[in-house]
Amino acid sequence: MKTATIEISGLLSALSSRGIERQLTKLPGLHKAEVNYVAGSATVAYDETIIDLETIKHKVHECGYHCAGEQMPKHLCTPEDPAIASAGTAIPPMARAGHGHKVRTTHGEHEAHAGHGGEMESTAHEMGHSAGMDMQAMARDMRNRFLVCLLFTVPIFTYSPMGRIFTPPAPPIGLELNQWLFLLATLAVVYPSWPFFVAAWRALKNGVLNMAVLVVLSVGTGYLFSVGATFLFEGDQFFEASAVLLVFILLGHWLEMRARAGASEAIKALMDLAPAKASVIRNGIEVEVPTAEVVAGDIVVIRPGNKLPVDGTVDTGESLVDESMLTGESMPVKKGPGAMVIGATINKSGSFRYRATKVGADSALAQIVKLVQEAQNSKAPAQLLADKAAQWLVIAAVVVGLATFAVWFWWIGQPLLFALTLTITVFVIACPDALGLATPMAVMVGTGLGAMNGILFKNASALEDATKLDVIVFDKTGTLTIGQPEVVETMMAEGVTEDAVLAAAAAVEQGSDHPLAQAILRRASHLTVTAPTGFESLDGMGARAETDGGTIFLGNRLLMDTQKLALGLLEAEAARLQGNGRTVVHVAQNARVVGLIAIADAVRPTAKAAVAKLRERGIEVVMLTGDNAATARRIAADLGIDSVLAEVLPGQKADKVKELQAMGKKVGMVGDGVNDAPALTQANVGFAIGAGTDVAMESADVVLMKSDPYDIVAAIELSSATLRKMHQNLWWAVGYNVIAFPLAAGVFYPFVLSPEIAALSMSGSSAVVAINALMLKRTKLAGIRRPDGAEASIASQVST
């Protein structure tokens, strides 16, 4: 099974995506198709032994839409298949239309530019929106059509009875008024409205009804009736109503497309992060090559201010690297030999060389882009329901519109023009796009904001489920704690300095790779330590070393007792430290205990604030660990955690999650290791913390790139805010349509709406939904850095 995200342009209505999904899922070997109207893309899961991307793209073209290729970061160009323009027609590399992003094409090929595709595109695309347009280009095209329509609508309005505030000049070349209005209306309607006619035809061909169908019915009915009244039969024409109606529709769609373009800014920014060129060593010489040509094993040269082109491991040199654009970590990270570096991050100070390990589609950037795309294209449960409701809303609009005409014209006996006007008003006031936009716009903005902060939601369901959690279970090691022992306290005998105790201990531990030895060596790294002249390991107790300063014994209490070394005043301190769950290392020199070194798994700086914030939200926090109960309770007490599951074996973690779920609780599991995978899968929402470059964790629903427990708070806050926007949008969309239908149908006669007001209301409804979703970017959320650089501070919540 393979998953890919492809670009689809020309989507004019939210329900257009439903028709493409319906056609794609008929293909053999294609198991899933999720089309995102807001992003203009589709995520497809298919069996590559049965079907390939070229066949899928052909099907998209058969549906009447343009497919430029697979969406990937700009610098990548290792393809699975060639791009196509229409069924069976291959496009030469430099003629392909793209969206400003890289589409996967032949190796070595550079970025395709947005264009119209010339003779290679189908007639429908030539006469509607040009194929290959990205959302910004579609917004500009819609703006141009709006301006053309407005240009010819002004004189129509001037000559019509409703707009005649002064006497206009006579129509030119001896034309009758109706004939002159016909010419103006044709210019105002045909070109500006053509994308809607094309979109309606595509929708009907794909077996769905969308908003374009309603636009065609309303504008087309008014225009054709007026044409008939001008040339075929006696009657009043209302060209001005059709033209003004179209002006408002085009204005609304222009604003909506601008909002859709804004919603996809985050994924576009990710795609553009990596540099186009990289400096590598080839045959002993430094050369500059396209990033796409960097291969695993290449030595990459990085200087101050450079962007890293690919992932790798530092070979030589040291520097500070800004990883904020991928992980959300605001402080630069020190990198030295052996350290992992991520492509698209920025080198701040020194120069270094590193060996490329993950390139192309395997790089962290490519994996993040893929993850975000799949999340944005996935459908939350609420969206599935909204899509069905939107489809039925179009049918309802057609039925209610026809019923309105029948009741007012044949039953009540109102004039034909009045009944027809109300019918057009009903057609145009229905707004299925508001329902169709409600959820995907919010998901697009929410997942994009999360990606900016190193929080990657794998699907829209995870975004929704994260708001329903009753319990968060933290696997202690690596999540609440750093995951490696650190010296947390030192106690010295009378007359002995801390440096003397650390130097003596470090002399014994030199060369050891034991975790406790490494903790002591890190703490003593600022000291000059003399190598021992003799060394003996004492099994189960510690070690003895001969140094210039005498014989040193380093180990546990048993070693001191065996050597008959009294702790003296340090006896009480040793008991206190052990009672607090510390590992106590005893240091003796020249037959005297000179000090104690307390070692523990240090708590992460933001862990306490994260626990407090979760409890403030009413979420129970549980700590799960394999440690003994005393140590676990001590750490939990420090963090403010009441519920502790101690002495849990790795294989039992998933069982503990099941036990909590059996009590009727929605459980979130936070883990960082391979042995956490079953528990992450079992939980209602699995959070993989500290993922770093391993963003494709199959077992997690939410991937957190930093090792910061406060990101759990940020993820839940972001989920809640996104879900609020979804619900607000859905309530608005439903409420608008419930009120709109009776108003448009004349139920409150003599108070009736004109088609122009209905069009403004319909366009405004979609715009309100889109703008409300975009407001999520301005919402202040704990732990989330906003696009303007502002960040919700947690300093006030960190207590000492």
Side-chain angles (χ1 to χ4, degrees), residues 49 72 94 118 140 181-183 278 398 420 455 461 473 529 590 618 621 667 698 700-701 798:
T49 63
M72 291 290 285
M94 296 312 294
R140 288 192 296 270
L181 290 176
F182 161 72
L183 288 176
V398 174
L420 195 60
I455 301 169
S461 294
V473 179
V529 180
N590 294 329
V621 180
V667 181
E698 293 299 326
D701 301 297
V798 180

Side-chain angles (χ1 to χ4, degrees), residues 72-94:
M72 291 290 285
K74 237 181 204 183
H75 65 283
L76 301 182
C77 53
T78 46
E80 176 183 319
D81 65 319
I84 57 173
S86 56
T89 307
I91 306 179
M94 296 312 294

Side-chain angles (χ1 to χ4, degrees), residues 1 156 338 350 357 498 510 561 629 638 723 729 788 798:
M1 181 75 68
I156 294 174
T357 55
E498 181 181 17
Q510 281 191 71
D561 292 343
D638 288 346
L723 196 65
N729 286 348
D788 58 5
V798 180

Side-chain angles (χ1 to χ4, degrees), residues 273-340:
L273 274 181
K277 300 283 187 179
S279 295
V280 299
I281 303 299
R282 296 272 171 89
N283 299 319
I285 301 172
E286 182 179 335
V287 295
E288 190 175 66
V289 299
T291 297
E293 294 180 11
V294 178
V295 297
D298 272 345
I299 298 295
V300 184
V301 181
I302 296 297
R303 296 182 176 84
N306 286 168
K307 269 190 179 183
L308 280 65
V310 295
D311 302 353
T313 305
V314 176
D315 225 20
T316 58
E318 290 187 347
S319 184
L320 293 173
V321 176
D322 180 3
E323 298 181 341
S324 60
M325 65 290 300
L326 288 181
T327 67
E329 179 62 65
S330 57
M331 294 297 293
V333 182
K334 186 176 181 179
K335 301 292 184 180
M340 292 182 63

Side-chain angles (χ1 to χ4, degrees), residues 95-101 111-117 130-134 137 140:
R96 289 190 183 101
H99 291 207
H101 304 319
E111 181 187 357
H113 298 283
H116 295 241
S130 297
M133 283 186 178
D134 65 2
R140 288 192 296 270

Side-chain angles (χ1 to χ4, degrees), residues 486-494 496-506 516 519-524 526-527 554 569-570 573-574 576-577 582-587 593-600:
E486 297 288 349
V487 174
V488 293
E489 196 172 350
T490 54
M491 300 301 300
M492 289 72 67
E494 188 177 352
V496 182
T497 65
E498 181 181 17
D499 284 355
V501 172
L502 290 172
L516 298 184
I520 292 171
L521 291 171
R522 281 194 297 274
R523 182 62 177 268
H526 65 289
L527 301 174
L554 185 75
L569 296 176
L570 294 174
E573 293 297 338
R576 177 183 65 82
L577 292 170
R582 316 292 194 193
T583 299
V584 181
V585 178
H586 301 70
V587 185
V593 177
V594 295
L596 306 172
I597 299 175
I599 297 176

